[in-house]
Amino acid sequence: EADIYQTPRYLVIGTGKKITLECSQTMGHDKMYWYQQDPGMELHLIHYSYGVNSTEKGDLSSESTVSRIRTEHFPLTLESARPSHTSQYLCASSEWGYGYTFGSGTRLTVV
Amino acid sequence: RKEVEQDPGPFNVPEGATVAFNCTYSNSASQSFFWYRQDCRKEPKLLMSVYSSGNEDGRFTAQLNRASQYISLLIRDSKLSDSATYLCVVNANNNDMRFGAGTRLTVKP
């Protein structure tokens, strides 16, 4: 049973549209992360948060933005989607010193 | 140099084989170590933590060598269902995790 939820599971959208990928967790974890992963390739950290009102950019430059207004919620927004944003986006959460729990991911296709 | 390095494979082995994956990490201050499994087009899932004394979970054995900054995962009696990508994960200074690029395993009948 998943304790971290991502919606939508799949999204196909036109170039220039604004989109928000949702991520919510019910474990009370302070730390949350967004990763981008292309098929067969490694994970790239694009954003992370250590708690409410804390957000940081990750190792991979991304045109997306995030917010953390509530502990359980960590949405990712693309103001103007482009085909280069086509990828899988994975959200994760953790407690200090423990491994990550991942959501099922959002597979985004920008046409 | 990447913080966590793995042999990308692919490893193609017959059912019943024993296979070992290696991983090296660069941060000598790392304290937490994990192996994750990722199936095709799915999210990574925790397979097992790696403890200093080494640990075993059924057919899976994980080892840690702090002096050499090296982690290993041994899979005995491989099953078709073991086919996946195996990710080595190490914590960083800020206690965030660093993922290796993964080693792909295919077990064939």
Side-chain angles (χ1 to χ4, degrees), chain A residues 16-28:
Chain A
K17 299 291 186 183
K18 177 180 178 178
I19 58 171
T20 296
L21 308 184
E22 301 289 348
C23 177
S24 295
Q25 50 97 3
T26 59
M27 297 171 282

Side-chain angles (χ1 to χ4, degrees), chain A residues 12-75:
Chain A
V12 181
I13 200 162
T15 298
K17 299 291 186 183
K18 177 180 178 178
I19 58 171
T20 296
L21 308 184
E22 301 289 348
C23 177
S24 295
Q25 50 97 3
T26 59
M27 297 171 282
H29 288 169
D30 286 327
K31 304 177 78 174
M32 295 188 75
Y33 309 85
W34 276 103
Y35 285 85
Q36 186 174 342
Q37 186 180 36
D38 293 324
M41 305 300 284
E42 62 187 290
L43 292 161
H44 291 288
L45 180 67
I46 52 175
H47 295 285
Y48 61 97
S49 167
Y50 289 164
V52 171
N53 294 326
S54 152
T55 60
E56 301 287 345
K57 289 188 179 295
D59 305 322
L60 181 69
S61 174
S62 173
E63 294 163 345
S64 58
T65 59
V66 292
S67 63
R68 190 88 183 276
I69 298 171
R70 303 197 316 265
T71 298
E72 62 271 22
H73 195 212
F74 191 40

Side-chain angles (χ1 to χ4, degrees), chain A residues 31 33 37 42 50 97 100, chain B residues 2 36 38 95-97:
Chain A
K31 304 177 78 174
Y33 309 85
Q37 186 180 36
E42 62 187 290
Y50 289 164
Y100 289 5
Chain B
K2 289 187 175 181
Y36 274 69
Q38 185 173 23
N95 221 33
D96 286 332
M97 302 298 171

Side-chain angles (χ1 to χ4, degrees), chain A residues 9-10 31 33 35 37 39-43 45 48 50 59 88 90 94-105 107, chain B residues 2-4 32 34 36 38 40-46 49 85 87 89 91 93-102 104:
Chain A
R9 184 74 178 89
Y10 301 93
K31 304 177 78 174
Y33 309 85
Y35 285 85
Q37 186 180 36
M41 305 300 284
E42 62 187 290
L43 292 161
L45 180 67
Y48 61 97
Y50 289 164
D59 305 322
Q88 174 162 256
L90 289 159
S94 78
E95 278 295 356
W96 293 90
Y98 292 89
Y100 289 5
T101 301
F102 283 87
S104 298
R107 194 168 297 278
Chain B
K2 289 187 175 181
E3 289 188 58
V4 181
S32 300
F34 307 90
Y36 274 69
Q38 185 173 23
C40 188
R41 303 174 82 83
K42 299 281 191 180
E43 74 274 22
K45 293 187 177 179
L46 179 64
S49 301
T85 296
L87 305 170
V89 185
N91 78 325
N93 290 336
N94 56 3
N95 221 33
D96 286 332
M97 302 298 171
R98 290 289 182 260
F99 287 79
R104 184 174 296 180

